[in-house]
């Protein structure tokens, strides 16, 4: 119907973002999520629809296009899914009269049958004043007119969440990181003569590469405690350098080490804090390359591994097939530059963006929605998205 | 077999303090110091060595008027007693006393005041940084000016060590021994002295100069101990030139037997572990692994190699170019990407800096990560290592003693496509750069060690000296 040309007109921002994603001009899970939410807002604000199916289809098609442009940026799809979830929720609330039949009575049988635990089910907005008239032939826009503000509000919520995600995650920082004072003895007598006494043995935290989430988390913890951060540089991007510079500039005692010394230093590390690119349904995650190595080394030393990540990184995906991380490769020049001349055409160079970290290597996910162990990621994802959106 | 000099786990930086106090009483050095040495810790051989040293020192003192230069007594000789007192720390740089701690060279003994000042400075710097890392002593830039009677060839070698122009356990040992041959040939026994006693003290000065350039490797320590044994055992009645020639012959034999022929045996054994269609993964660059791979390829085995590499040294690039030149199919990646390929690997071949009696391998930083990942994926981890790299001490982690690569980017290991401004190359306020050179691979992630004495599981490494008739 009329929706066809209308959506086409609203396609421009979508095309622009898709191109940017393809060229990796927009990278990073939060940035892509933000951009996606903004594009969705533009599209929805211009879109014309008469019923919920059409609205859902509009959002889905945007999500599909963007995912197609860059399948490895999982937060694009997540944002679309999140919005769909909100839209359906609002719709269900408004048209409560019709399908309120959905059981509110809790039992194991219901839990299994329903398959869709809805957290918000409890807090149904009683004062839902929306009166939705779907497919009203007299006034085709009435449905859109009533639902649009609500949808816009939902998008704004998503944007707000993305804006505040770092601070919300960092809230728990002071509880997880601590510093203690202990009496330290030095074996070496002549040395200890001058230095014996109470020495602050602060916590030593290891992280790899650069994650804005981890950065904010550590900076927030630094307000309360004194601790030391070891940053592995994560070649060949060497994002650890930016991270180390940023942490040290806010007064945190920082050590920058090459990736090769992760194992050597791990025996003195009290916590490993990693960032994530995407958290998968099984509790595993995609994260910057080197994360697998770090997490495995931490496991070998029984060191706690914490992952700081926003809820928007929850991705309804399983990784059953590849240790290979996200199967996404960067250009090889960072590893073996053209200055190596004759070597370049003789050897293969592997330079992946991400590692896949298995759930058993992670102890806890610190999200803006609280701390969760890997096995409950499944539940969180079920709560955040609707099953039918797993494939957009 | 000399007992090893046990170093405190707090390591050599902390050794500065004692060496200073000793430095004040430097004029009557080893004799006075040695008397305090707890006798319990000495084996017969060591006691004899000690006695000989004392006698040599005494002789040197009485004859010092005839010696051209007032010989700066190597601080080294005073170290071992400190070491002996030290705790149950891991053992390294054992044996010959002068090889003990890689702490201050003779510089500090000569003028103790400036050293005290620098020590205070360091203490101040340490309080800024994290105490537990303080023992990773930074490389000092070794001057061209050598203190004492240091042979010019040794000065040259010291510079090459300090600048990593010569690095790798084998290369360093061979270079050291070859230069020692020259030192021995250029040496003339002063009057009223015997070669077997005086040469030792002469060599000690050379050794401490080398140590000041870069901490001694286990291999060098082993080789030097063997050399000292030969010197002390050389016949007093032999004409000087004959004795020197005999010593040089001994050195040649050592290089040939323990390194070159050992390498050949290891090559032949390790080659058999590579089969057609295998994917061999190696980390950084080990001279022996390189030989094994080239030999296996020349032998007609069809396999491919994955070279894993990492900062700070990026040594794998050199291995890569050698292998690529031999037309071996190669894949190159940096350490973080290891997870990508590890499931496709059939065997991991790595070299070692030293092996320890608990089966642990001290090797280029990153080896432990590779071995750990390989073990997890049930890929055999085979270490190629000559038996002269054996060190009798037990090492428990890579933390207690390590060496740091100089900060900055002396190996130009950063990719050119990153602007240098975006990288942190020098220490900044609150930010320190730490580049450990080695790490310790626990025996649990090693499948086998290929030595010239055969392929042995890491648990059996402690039996190496026994198998060699206590040669080490």
């Amino acid at each position: 119907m009329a929706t066809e040309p209308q959506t086409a007109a609203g396609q421009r921002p979508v095309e622009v973002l898709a191109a940017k994603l393809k060229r990796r001009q927009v990278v990073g899970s939060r940035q892509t999520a933000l951009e996606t939410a903004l594009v969705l807002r533009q599209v929805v604000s211009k879109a014309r629809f008469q019923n919920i199916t059409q609205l859902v289809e509009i959002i889905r098609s945007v999500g599909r296009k963007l995912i197609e442009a860059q399948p490895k940026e999982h937060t694009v799809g997540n944002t679309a899914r999140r919005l769909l979830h909100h839209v359906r929720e609002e719709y269900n609330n408004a048209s409560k009269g019709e399908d309120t039949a959905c059981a509110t009575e809790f039992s194991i049988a219901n839990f299994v049958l329903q398959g869709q635990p809805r957290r918000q089910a409890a807090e149904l907005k009683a004062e839902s004043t929306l009166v939705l008239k779907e497919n009203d032939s007299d006034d085709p826009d009435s449905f859109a007119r009533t639902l649009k503000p609500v949808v816009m509000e939902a998008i704004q919520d998503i944007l707000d969440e993305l804006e505040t995600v770092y601070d919300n995650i960092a809230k728990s920082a002071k509880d997880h990181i601590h510093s203690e004072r202990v009496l330290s003895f030095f074996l070496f007598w002549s040395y200890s003569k001058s230095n014996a006494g109470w020495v602050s043995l602060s916590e030593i935290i290891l992280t790899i590469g650069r994650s804005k989430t981890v950065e904010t988390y550590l900076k927030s913890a630094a307000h309360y405690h004194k601790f030391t951060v070891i940053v592995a540089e994560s070649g060949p991007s060497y994002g650890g350098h930016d991270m180390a510079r940023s942490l040290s500039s806010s007064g945190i005692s920082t050590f920058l080490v090459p990736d090769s010394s992760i194992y050597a230093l791990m025996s003195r590390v009290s916590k490993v804090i990693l960032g994530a690119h995407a958290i998968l349904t099984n509790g595993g995650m995609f994260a910057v390359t080197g994360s697998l190595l770090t997490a495995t080394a931490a496991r070998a030393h029984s060191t706690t591994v914490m992952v700081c990540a926003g809820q928007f990184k929850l991705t309804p995906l399983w990784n059953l097939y590849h240790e290979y991380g996200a199967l996404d490769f960067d250009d090889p020049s960072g590893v073996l530059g053209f200055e190596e001349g004759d070597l370049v055409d003789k050897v293969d160079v592997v330079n992946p963006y991400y590692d896949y970290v298995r759930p058993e290597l992670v102890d806890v996910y610190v999200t803006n929605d609280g701390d969760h162990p890997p096995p409950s990621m499944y539940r969180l994802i079920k709560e955040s998205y609707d099953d039918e959106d797993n494939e957009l | 077999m000399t007992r090893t000099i046990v170093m405190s786990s707090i390591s050599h930086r902390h050794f500065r303090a004692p060496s200073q106090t000793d430095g004040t009483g430097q004029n009557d050095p080893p004799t006075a110091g040695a008397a305090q040495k707890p006798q319990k810790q000495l084996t017969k051989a060591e006691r004899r060595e000690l006695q000989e040293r004392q006698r040599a020192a005494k002789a040197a003192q009485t004859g010092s008027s005839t010696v051209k230069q007032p010989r700066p007594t190597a601080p080294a000789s005073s170290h071992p007693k400190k070491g002996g007192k030290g705790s149950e720390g891991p053992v390294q740089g054992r044996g010959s006393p002068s090889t003990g701690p890689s702490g201050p060279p003779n510089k500090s003994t000569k003028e103790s005041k400036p050293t005290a000042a620098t020590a205070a400075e360091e203490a101040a710097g340490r309080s800024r940084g994290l105490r537990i890392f303080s023992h990773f002593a930074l490389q000092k830039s070794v001057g061209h000016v050598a203190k004492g009677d240091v042979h010019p060839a040794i000065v040259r070698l010291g510079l090459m060590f300090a600048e990593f122009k010569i690095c790798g356990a084998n290369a360093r040992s061979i270079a050291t021994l070859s230069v020692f041959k020259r030192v021995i040939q250029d040496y003339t026994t002063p009057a009223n002295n015997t070669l077997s006693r005086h040469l030792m003290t002469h060599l000690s000065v050379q050794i401490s100069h080398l140590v000041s350039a870069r901490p001694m490797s286990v291999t060098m320590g082993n080789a030097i101990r063997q050399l000292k044994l030969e010197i002390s055992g050389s016949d007093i009645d032999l004409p000087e030139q004959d004795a020197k020639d005999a010593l040089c012959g001994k050195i040649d034999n050592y290089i040939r037997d323990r390194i070159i022929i050992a390498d050949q045996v290891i090559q032949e054994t390790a080659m058999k572990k590579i089969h057609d269609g295998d994917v061999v993964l190696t980390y950084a660059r080990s001279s022996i692994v390189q030989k094994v791979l080239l030999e296996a390829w020349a032998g007609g085995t069809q396999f491919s190699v994955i070279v894993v590499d990492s900062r700070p040294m990026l040594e794998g690039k050199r291995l890569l170019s050698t292998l690529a030149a031999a037309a071996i199919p190669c894949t190159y990646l940096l350490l973080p990407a290891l997870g990508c390929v590890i499931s496709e690997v059939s065997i991991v071949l790595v070299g070692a800096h030293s092996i320890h009696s608990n089966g642990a391998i001290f090797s280029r930083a990153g080896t432990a990560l590779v071995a750990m990942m390989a073990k997890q994926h049930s890929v055999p981890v085979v270490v190629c290592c000559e038996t002269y790299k054996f060190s009798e001490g037990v090492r428990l982690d890579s933390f207690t003693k390590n060496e740091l690569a100089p900060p900055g980017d002396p190996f130009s290991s950063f990719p050119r496509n990153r602007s240098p401004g975006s990288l942190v190359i020098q220490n900044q306020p609150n930010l320190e750069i730490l580049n450990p050179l080695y790490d310790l691979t626990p025996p649990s992630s090693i499948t086998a060690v290929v030595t010239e004495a055969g392929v042995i599981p890491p648990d059996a490494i402690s039996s190496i000296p026994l198998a060699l008739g206590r040669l080490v």
Side-chain angles (χ1 to χ4, degrees):
Chain A
M1 281 202 353
T3 53
E4 287 312 314
Q6 201 56 40
T7 40
Q11 281 311 305
R12 251 194 70 73
V14 181
E15 301 292 340
V16 170
L17 181 59
K20 277 187 180 167
L21 283 170
K22 266 185 200 158
R23 293 187 217 118
R24 282 195 189 270
Q25 282 168 329
V26 181
V27 287
S29 39
R30 177 168 167 270
Q31 198 54 39
T32 46
L34 267 175
E35 297 276 342
T36 310
L38 290 173
V39 165
L40 281 172
R41 184 160 72 179
Q42 287 185 45
V43 170
V44 172
S45 71
K46 284 185 192 143
R48 296 178 66 185
F49 46 89
Q50 292 184 358
N51 53 33
I52 187 76
T53 330
Q54 283 176 2
L55 175 60
V56 165
E57 186 45 45
I58 289 168
I59 299 173
R60 278 186 156 199
S61 74
V62 172
R64 258 200 311 270
K65 282 214 176 73
L66 294 178
I67 289 175
E68 208 175 296
Q70 183 49 273
K72 305 304 179 189
E73 291 287 4
H74 302 284
T75 52
V76 171
N78 294 345
T79 312
R81 284 182 199 109
R82 198 72 199 279
L83 180 60
L84 287 171
H85 177 73
H86 282 313
V87 166
R88 283 207 195 87
E89 207 155 64
E90 295 295 346
Y91 175 74
N92 287 341
N93 283 353
S95 53
K96 197 165 37 171
E98 291 148 47
D99 56 1
T100 208
C102 85
T104 46
E105 173 194 345
F106 288 104
S107 71
I108 291 290
N110 273 344
F111 185 76
V112 173
L113 288 173
Q114 258 178 306
Q116 190 78 6
R118 282 182 181 277
R119 183 198 314 217
Q120 284 86 349
E123 43 183 90
L124 277 176
K125 281 174 194 148
E127 76 303 1
S128 126
T129 49
L130 296 182
V131 183
L132 294 176
K133 275 183 265 170
E134 280 192 73
N135 300 323
D136 190 339
S137 47
D138 303 336
D139 185 5
D141 287 340
S142 86
F143 179 77
R145 224 182 305 125
T146 34
L147 196 57
K148 236 178 213 173
V150 183
V151 176
M152 298 309 267
E153 209 173 286
I155 295 177
Q156 194 53 47
D157 283 350
I158 293 176
L159 284 169
D160 288 347
E161 189 198 312
L162 289 171
E163 295 292 346
T164 58
V165 65
Y166 295 145
D167 296 330
N168 285 332
I169 294 171
K171 265 181 196 159
S172 70
K174 67 172 186 293
D175 304 329
H176 283 299
I177 296 172
H178 68 102
S179 56
E180 56 186 318
R181 298 186 144 250
V182 279
L183 186 61
S184 71
F185 294 98
F186 284 89
L187 285 171
F188 206 69
W189 60 273
S190 70
Y191 185 74
S192 65
K193 245 193 259 173
S194 53
N195 288 284
W198 292 88
V199 180
S200 176
L201 259 200
S202 52
E203 193 151 28
I204 301 178
I205 288 156
L206 188 139
T207 184
I208 185 166
R210 180 173 205 207
S211 153
K212 195 85 202 323
T213 320
V214 175
E215 192 183 317
T216 322
Y217 190 83
L218 291 173
K219 281 181 177 172
S220 148
H223 292 310
Y224 305 96
H225 303 295
K226 206 169 140 27
F227 54 91
T228 302
V229 183
I230 301 177
V231 184
E233 48 190 21
S234 179
S237 64
Y238 298 108
H241 286 253
D242 304 325
M243 181 81 159
R245 199 184 288 125
S246 158
L247 289 177
S248 64
S249 66
S250 56
I252 301 173
S253 149
T254 312
F255 286 85
L256 180 65
V257 302
D259 307 313
S260 54
S261 52
I262 290 172
Y263 196 96
L265 299 178
M266 191 57 86
S267 62
R268 296 300 187 278
V269 170
S270 49
K271 260 187 201 84
V272 172
I273 301 185
L274 302 173
H277 177 67
I279 301 174
L280 310 185
T281 315
N282 60 347
M285 64 161 182
F286 289 139
V288 63
T289 93
S291 299
L292 174 61
L293 215 56
T294 314
T296 316
R299 187 53 81 226
H301 288 87
S302 299
T303 309
T304 313
V305 178
M306 283 167 55
V307 176
C308 295
Q311 234 185 333
F312 64 95
K313 292 181 183 176
L314 296 173
T315 307
L317 262 183
W318 292 73
N319 185 31
L320 297 177
Y321 312 108
H322 309 291
E323 279 290 306
Y324 264 76
L327 273 179
D328 193 9
F329 294 94
D330 199 357
D331 81 283
S333 68
V335 179
L336 200 67
F338 283 103
E339 66 271 14
E340 301 296 329
D342 48 336
L343 263 184
V344 173
D345 54 346
K346 282 186 198 149
V347 300
D348 295 334
V349 173
V350 182
N351 184 11
Y353 273 107
Y354 306 113
D355 264 347
Y356 169 62
V357 180
R358 296 186 303 280
E360 56 269 28
L361 296 175
V362 178
D363 286 296
V364 65
Y365 284 104
V366 177
T367 69
N368 45 341
D369 189 32
D371 306 345
H372 301 277
S376 47
M377 285 304 129
Y378 174 75
R379 185 176 53 81
L380 285 184
I381 286 170
K382 274 276 193 187
E383 283 173 4
S384 316
Y385 311 118
D386 292 329
D387 279 347
E388 58 258 50
D389 296 332
N390 287 354
E391 284 289 330
L392 281 178
Chain B
M1 183 64 259
T2 55
R3 264 292 296 251
T4 58
I5 305 306
V6 185
M7 294 215 4
S8 157
S9 62
I10 309 198
S11 99
H12 45 258
R13 183 73 92 94
H14 300 249
F15 270 84
R16 256 166 220 192
S19 67
Q20 280 162 32
T21 53
D22 270 34
T24 54
Q26 257 316 315
N27 288 337
D28 48 349
T31 23
Q36 294 159 14
K37 190 165 186 169
Q39 293 294 313
K40 233 189 298 174
Q41 302 218 357
L42 302 181
T43 62
K44 200 187 267 174
E46 200 179 1
R47 224 174 294 140
R48 200 183 57 218
E49 203 183 324
L50 194 73
Q51 275 173 357
E52 254 152 36
R53 229 183 308 126
Q54 290 168 1
R55 245 177 274 143
K58 219 176 265 171
Q61 250 180 356
T62 52
S64 63
S65 52
T66 55
V67 181
K68 294 160 286 183
Q69 285 173 340
R71 186 176 37 80
T73 333
S77 42
S78 60
H79 277 300
K81 80 169 186 291
K82 281 298 160 203
K85 250 182 223 165
S87 51
E88 65 294 337
V91 179
Q92 246 258 303
R94 352 167 279 120
S96 65
S98 48
T99 75
S102 34
N106 37 9
K107 188 170 59 181
S108 64
T109 62
K110 269 214 154 174
E111 58 264 326
S112 60
K113 264 215 185 116
T115 335
T118 52
E121 268 171 39
E122 273 159 19
R126 194 160 39 222
S127 63
R128 191 167 50 80
L130 191 61
R131 197 181 297 273
I132 58 160
F133 292 129
S134 61
H135 65 282
F136 286 155
L138 267 176
Q139 300 279 320
K140 301 173 296 287
S141 57
V142 60
H144 292 251
V145 195
K147 298 271 164 57
D149 189 10
V150 178
H151 195 282
I154 294 283
V155 177
R156 186 163 173 271
L157 187 65
L159 282 169
M160 289 172 98
F161 281 179
E163 286 163 15
F164 289 86
K165 291 276 189 292
I166 298 181
C167 74
N170 282 353
R172 281 170 73 195
S173 314
I174 293 177
T176 310
L177 287 174
S178 315
V179 171
F180 277 171
K181 266 166 51 188
R182 269 185 69 191
V183 173
I184 290 173
Q185 286 297 350
D186 292 349
Y187 165 85
T188 40
T189 317
N192 304 328
N193 252 320
T194 56
L195 178 128
S196 62
R197 289 177 192 168
H198 184 257
L199 178 56
M200 203 99 87
T201 49
H202 180 65
L203 276 186
S204 295
V205 180
Q206 323 296 326
I207 292 162
S208 29
H209 181 78
L210 286 184
V211 169
S212 74
R214 205 186 146 187
M216 162 130 4
S217 66
V218 169
T219 49
M220 279 162 68
N222 282 343
I224 289 171
R225 190 160 344 99
Q226 187 66 28
L227 176 62
K228 292 206 162 177
L229 209 68
E230 301 289 356
I231 293 175
S232 65
S234 67
D235 194 348
I236 299 178
D237 300 328
L238 217 57
E240 184 164 308
Q241 191 53 47
D242 290 359
K244 290 201 284 195
D245 289 345
L247 280 178
C248 290
K250 289 269 168 52
I251 292 178
D252 282 335
N253 285 350
Y254 189 89
I255 296 179
R256 192 193 62 207
D257 294 349
R258 305 303 301 276
I259 306 177
I260 293 173
I261 295 192
D263 275 4
Q264 284 167 6
V265 176
I266 293 171
Q267 253 176 60
E268 277 162 32
T269 320
M271 253 176 74
K272 293 181 197 140
K273 306 288 167 209
I274 303 177
H275 307 288
D276 278 333
D278 272 3
V279 179
V280 182
L281 185 140
T282 183
Y283 178 72
R285 174 177 179 272
S286 152
S287 57
I288 176 74
V289 169
Q290 178 178 319
K291 283 179 204 160
V292 170
L293 294 175
L294 290 175
E295 193 77 3
W297 185 257
T301 316
Q302 295 293 315
F303 60 94
S304 63
V305 179
I306 298 176
V307 179
V308 184
D309 211 351
S310 172
R311 272 203 12 91
M313 295 186 72
L314 285 192
E315 293 162 301
K317 256 185 205 173
R318 273 181 62 201
L319 174 66
L320 185 71
S321 54
T322 317
L323 297 181
I328 303 178
C330 292
T331 306
Y332 182 73
L333 46 100
L334 292 182
L335 192 55
L338 181 66
C340 267
V341 294
I342 194 70
S343 50
E344 295 166 12
V345 174
S346 3
I347 185 172
V348 172
L349 274 184
V350 287
H353 174 83
S354 61
I355 54 178
H356 296 264
S357 57
N358 59 335
I361 303 283
F362 200 53
S363 193
R364 185 64 71 223
T367 310
L369 286 169
V370 174
M372 170 190 76
M373 291 297 277
K375 196 69 186 179
Q376 236 183 34
H377 288 81
S378 305
V379 179
V381 179
V382 175
V383 181
C384 298
C385 180
E386 302 85 351
T387 55
Y388 87 115
K389 288 179 174 172
F390 177 80
S391 166
E392 212 160 76
V394 168
R395 295 289 298 263
L396 294 176
D397 66 11
S398 15
F399 204 83
T400 43
K401 187 163 184 291
N402 212 320
E403 215 182 303
L404 288 185
D409 189 20
F411 310 104
S412 55
S413 50
F414 288 113
R416 297 245 179 104
N417 57 2
R418 260 206 84 144
S419 69
S422 66
L423 296 165
V424 183
I425 308 193
Q426 291 299 332
N427 285 351
Q428 293 172 5
N430 289 325
L431 172 55
E432 277 183 58
I433 294 173
L434 210 63
N435 289 335
L437 277 184
Y438 299 103
D439 67 9
L440 190 83
T441 310
S444 54
S445 41
I446 298 164
T447 314
V449 181
V450 181
T451 68
E452 72 263 30
V455 183
I456 48 179
D459 308 328
I461 282 177
S462 57
S463 64
I464 285 181
L466 211 69
L468 295 173
R470 291 250 157 219
L471 263 174
V472 202

